[in-house]
Amino acid sequence: MTAQKQARSNCEMRAQDRHIVIAIDGPAASGKSSVARELAGRLGFVYVNSGAMYRAVTWDILRRGIDPRDHARIDNYLKRARIVCDLQNNESRILINDIDPAEHLRDDNVNNSVSLVSSVPRLRQVLVEKMRHYARDYDLVMEGRDIGSVVFPDTPFKFYIDALPDVRLRRRAAEGQRDEIANRDHADSSRRASPLVKAKDAEVIDASNLSIQGVVSEIAARLRKKGLRVAGPREARRPLL
Ligand code: CDP
């Protein structure tokens, strides 16, 4: 039995979570996305960006002129919108009514409204269902705000990446983005529906003084201790035979 299979059989997972899920949560601009993508590549797992799902719906709601505070209209919108979450190159992709909004996900208006829209409970139900669906078919690295606390509370592989606010601000500015991360952090942490919290059993990584590779190495070392096989950076880039 491979280490991966052994780990899987050792984990008490619910029927729906037959595959391994590595949950990575944390505040805005903590480096979660880059870390999760790299880690997924090293593990040979699928990478799921749950924030992109909330951003895609926010983009569509805004372009339709729906007020992001209007929960009733958003509930109504959700009855009609066709939201498809599939994969492209081993990464999650979101289509809304057959449109891929990838290039708009970091638009200023999306940055400004995504926390409001993602506080709508019905939207969270719809998207969490889709997130869990990925785990029926694939081993995953999924990043977000509530992956370890709400979406996959039973996974034994939970990480919370934190970094000092000014480090995170500098990171976002270096990406050329105008993003009020302090406002989003406040809104995400104080909302009623699935707020950003550290899951009790999450391992916290302080990324303030670490590079992306440094954080990935740290998580990889901890996963190896738990029995998972994680390739090194070079091995991961070798084509599969
Ligand atoms: O990459 P960044 O840290 O800026 O954020 P993101 O992961 O793209 O998430 C954008 C927003 O979506 C967050 O500020 C949350 O309001 C929401 N979100 C959420 O509510 N739950 C998740 N699991 C992921 C994102």
Side-chain angles (χ1 to χ4, degrees):
M1 193 186 273
T2 65
Q4 233 86 333
K5 279 194 184 141
Q6 180 73 56
R8 187 175 294 132
S9 66
N10 286 348
C11 305
E12 288 175 23
M13 294 185 183
R14 293 178 302 190
Q16 75 197 39
D17 312 338
R18 261 170 286 136
H19 286 77
I20 298 173
V21 176
I22 316 282
I24 300 190
D25 290 301
S30 51
K32 297 182 305 292
S33 302
S34 313
V35 166
R37 179 179 281 117
E38 168 75 17
L39 191 65
R42 288 205 202 175
L43 283 155
F45 288 10
V46 158
Y47 162 56
V48 180
N49 179 344
S50 67
M53 299 183 193
Y54 290 99
R55 285 176 178 278
V57 172
T58 302
W59 169 78
D60 199 35
I61 279 172
L62 293 175
R63 93 191 166 109
R64 287 169 192 279
I66 299 174
D67 181 343
R69 286 178 186 79
D70 190 339
H71 287 207
R73 275 196 76 191
I74 294 177
D75 286 0
N76 230 344
Y77 158 88
L78 289 169
K79 286 184 193 143
R80 283 187 218 117
R82 201 152 42 82
I83 303 171
V84 173
C85 297
D86 63 5
L87 290 183
Q88 193 171 42
N89 301 327
N90 257 13
E91 296 193 1
S92 55
R93 177 181 70 157
I94 302 98
L95 299 175
I96 304 195
N97 298 325
D98 297 325
I99 298 174
D100 180 352
E103 65 185 90
H104 299 291
L105 299 186
R106 299 266 160 193
D107 288 356
D108 291 350
N109 62 345
V110 173
N111 279 341
N112 291 337
S113 296
V114 63
S115 291
L116 259 181
V117 174
S118 61
S119 69
V120 177
R122 179 67 194 136
L123 172 60
R124 301 200 72 83
Q125 277 173 3
V126 167
L127 293 187
V128 165
E129 170 70 18
K130 292 180 187 299
M131 290 171 205
R132 289 183 179 147
H133 206 274
Y134 279 111
R136 293 192 198 145
D137 298 323
Y138 307 101
D139 293 329
L140 308 175
V141 178
M142 188 179 293
E143 51 122 343
R145 298 291 186 288
D146 60 342
I147 308 306
S149 56
V150 172
V151 186
F152 294 105
D154 296 340
T155 180
F157 307 111
K158 297 183 189 176
F159 297 91
Y160 186 94
I161 303 183
D162 213 344
L164 291 170
D166 61 315
V167 173
R168 295 189 287 115
L169 254 181
R170 280 204 301 274
R171 189 171 284 156
R172 207 48 23 129
E175 290 166 357
Q177 281 197 60
R178 264 181 300 163
D179 187 3
E180 303 289 337
I181 62 172
N183 292 348
R184 273 203 295 130
D185 285 348
H186 177 71
D188 291 345
S189 307
S190 57
R191 71 180 173 218
R192 263 215 232 136
S194 309
L196 166 66
V197 285
K198 266 176 228 146
K200 283 194 304 298
D201 48 346
E203 300 194 34
V204 179
I205 313 260
D206 183 348
S208 304
N209 296 308
L210 291 175
S211 63
I212 296 297
Q213 286 303 332
V215 178
V216 175
S217 302
E218 182 62 44
I219 295 180
R222 296 184 193 200
L223 289 176
R224 285 190 194 106
K225 274 195 199 144
K226 293 185 173 199
L228 293 194
R229 183 186 170 277
V230 193
R234 262 197 263 154
E235 197 185 333
R237 288 192 180 87
R238 248 187 250 151
L240 291 174
L241 295 176

